[in-house]
Amino acid sequence: MSTMNSTPSPTKLTRSTTDKQIAGVAGGVADYFGIDPVIARVGFAVTALCGGAGLLAYILMMFIVPSADAPVAAHPATA
């Protein structure tokens, strides 16, 4: 019986810098969930047309989700 001790590294949701049409939100969501970016874009569009939640979510994520090329904050040293 073998056990796997390797845990997958946690992924962070970031805005894509390479696969973007407007701000990279849909590309970042697609990378995070491992889906095609077109599916994420269609999802945002459909939810935007069905009450506007997709548009609101996209706009909020433009400002809240960091860009993939943003510098990572250093953790303070623990003693």
PDB file of all heavy atoms in Angstrom, residues 8 16 19 31 36 47 54 57 71 75 79:
ATOM      1  N   PRO A   8      -1.065  18.927  -4.080  1.00  0.00           N
ATOM      2  CA  PRO A   8      -0.961  19.893  -5.171  1.00  0.00           C
ATOM      3  C   PRO A   8      -0.808  21.303  -4.612  1.00  0.00           C
ATOM      4  O   PRO A   8      -1.385  21.647  -3.586  1.00  0.00           O
ATOM      5  CB  PRO A   8      -2.278  19.733  -5.928  1.00  0.00           C
ATOM      6  CG  PRO A   8      -3.205  19.092  -4.968  1.00  0.00           C
ATOM      7  CD  PRO A   8      -2.372  18.295  -4.016  1.00  0.00           C
ATOM      8  N   SER A  16      -5.571  37.034 -16.207  1.00  0.00           N
ATOM      9  CA  SER A  16      -4.601  36.601 -17.202  1.00  0.00           C
ATOM     10  C   SER A  16      -3.979  37.805 -17.913  1.00  0.00           C
ATOM     11  O   SER A  16      -4.649  38.785 -18.215  1.00  0.00           O
ATOM     12  CB  SER A  16      -5.290  35.701 -18.229  1.00  0.00           C
ATOM     13  OG  SER A  16      -4.389  35.330 -19.235  1.00  0.00           O
ATOM     14  N   ASP A  19      -4.090  35.807 -22.050  1.00  0.00           N
ATOM     15  CA  ASP A  19      -5.361  35.424 -22.666  1.00  0.00           C
ATOM     16  C   ASP A  19      -6.440  36.391 -22.196  1.00  0.00           C
ATOM     17  O   ASP A  19      -7.224  36.080 -21.309  1.00  0.00           O
ATOM     18  CB  ASP A  19      -5.720  33.981 -22.299  1.00  0.00           C
ATOM     19  CG  ASP A  19      -6.919  33.481 -23.063  1.00  0.00           C
ATOM     20  OD1 ASP A  19      -7.297  34.129 -24.050  1.00  0.00           O
ATOM     21  OD2 ASP A  19      -7.473  32.453 -22.671  1.00  0.00           O
ATOM     22  N   ASP A  31      -8.232  29.730 -16.442  1.00  0.00           N
ATOM     23  CA  ASP A  31      -7.003  29.093 -15.963  1.00  0.00           C
ATOM     24  C   ASP A  31      -7.213  28.462 -14.592  1.00  0.00           C
ATOM     25  O   ASP A  31      -6.739  27.367 -14.321  1.00  0.00           O
ATOM     26  CB  ASP A  31      -5.865  30.112 -15.874  1.00  0.00           C
ATOM     27  CG  ASP A  31      -5.338  30.522 -17.228  1.00  0.00           C
ATOM     28  OD1 ASP A  31      -5.590  29.796 -18.216  1.00  0.00           O
ATOM     29  OD2 ASP A  31      -4.671  31.580 -17.299  1.00  0.00           O
ATOM     30  N   ASP A  36     -11.824  26.032 -20.951  1.00  0.00           N
ATOM     31  CA  ASP A  36     -11.521  26.874 -22.102  1.00  0.00           C
ATOM     32  C   ASP A  36     -11.985  28.310 -21.800  1.00  0.00           C
ATOM     33  O   ASP A  36     -13.068  28.499 -21.243  1.00  0.00           O
ATOM     34  CB  ASP A  36     -12.258  26.332 -23.327  1.00  0.00           C
ATOM     35  CG  ASP A  36     -11.784  26.991 -24.593  1.00  0.00           C
ATOM     36  OD1 ASP A  36     -10.702  26.632 -25.080  1.00  0.00           O
ATOM     37  OD2 ASP A  36     -12.515  27.870 -25.095  1.00  0.00           O
ATOM     38  N   THR A  47     -24.774  35.445 -18.060  1.00  0.00           N
ATOM     39  CA  THR A  47     -25.231  35.975 -16.776  1.00  0.00           C
ATOM     40  C   THR A  47     -25.398  37.493 -16.822  1.00  0.00           C
ATOM     41  O   THR A  47     -26.185  38.045 -16.068  1.00  0.00           O
ATOM     42  CB  THR A  47     -24.291  35.573 -15.624  1.00  0.00           C
ATOM     43  OG1 THR A  47     -22.958  35.987 -15.935  1.00  0.00           O
ATOM     44  CG2 THR A  47     -24.327  34.083 -15.382  1.00  0.00           C
ATOM     45  N   GLY A  54     -23.545  39.000 -14.219  1.00  0.00           N
ATOM     46  CA  GLY A  54     -22.257  38.713 -14.844  1.00  0.00           C
ATOM     47  C   GLY A  54     -21.449  39.969 -15.094  1.00  0.00           C
ATOM     48  O   GLY A  54     -20.240  40.000 -14.884  1.00  0.00           O
ATOM     49  N   ALA A  57     -20.224  41.163 -11.685  1.00  0.00           N
ATOM     50  CA  ALA A  57     -19.137  40.300 -11.221  1.00  0.00           C
ATOM     51  C   ALA A  57     -17.850  40.593 -11.984  1.00  0.00           C
ATOM     52  O   ALA A  57     -16.767  40.660 -11.391  1.00  0.00           O
ATOM     53  CB  ALA A  57     -19.528  38.835 -11.379  1.00  0.00           C
ATOM     54  N   PRO A  71       3.380  41.936  -8.512  1.00  0.00           N
ATOM     55  CA  PRO A  71       4.380  41.416  -7.574  1.00  0.00           C
ATOM     56  C   PRO A  71       3.702  40.784  -6.361  1.00  0.00           C
ATOM     57  O   PRO A  71       2.672  41.252  -5.885  1.00  0.00           O
ATOM     58  CB  PRO A  71       5.183  42.649  -7.178  1.00  0.00           C
ATOM     59  CG  PRO A  71       4.297  43.798  -7.470  1.00  0.00           C
ATOM     60  CD  PRO A  71       3.414  43.369  -8.597  1.00  0.00           C
ATOM     61  N   HIS A  75       6.168  37.741   2.732  1.00  0.00           N
ATOM     62  CA  HIS A  75       5.662  37.420   4.060  1.00  0.00           C
ATOM     63  C   HIS A  75       6.685  37.858   5.094  1.00  0.00           C
ATOM     64  O   HIS A  75       7.892  37.681   4.903  1.00  0.00           O
ATOM     65  CB  HIS A  75       5.430  35.906   4.195  1.00  0.00           C
ATOM     66  CG  HIS A  75       4.291  35.445   3.375  1.00  0.00           C
ATOM     67  ND1 HIS A  75       4.427  35.022   2.074  1.00  0.00           N
ATOM     68  CD2 HIS A  75       2.984  35.342   3.662  1.00  0.00           C
ATOM     69  CE1 HIS A  75       3.257  34.675   1.607  1.00  0.00           C
ATOM     70  NE2 HIS A  75       2.347  34.857   2.535  1.00  0.00           N
ATOM     71  N   ALA A  79       9.549  34.443  13.854  1.00  0.00           N
ATOM     72  CA  ALA A  79      10.640  34.120  14.795  1.00  0.00           C
ATOM     73  C   ALA A  79      10.316  32.945  15.639  1.00  0.00           C
ATOM     74  O   ALA A  79       9.265  32.524  15.821  1.00  0.00           O
ATOM     75  CB  ALA A  79      10.923  35.324  15.697  1.00  0.00           C
TER      76      ALA A  79
END
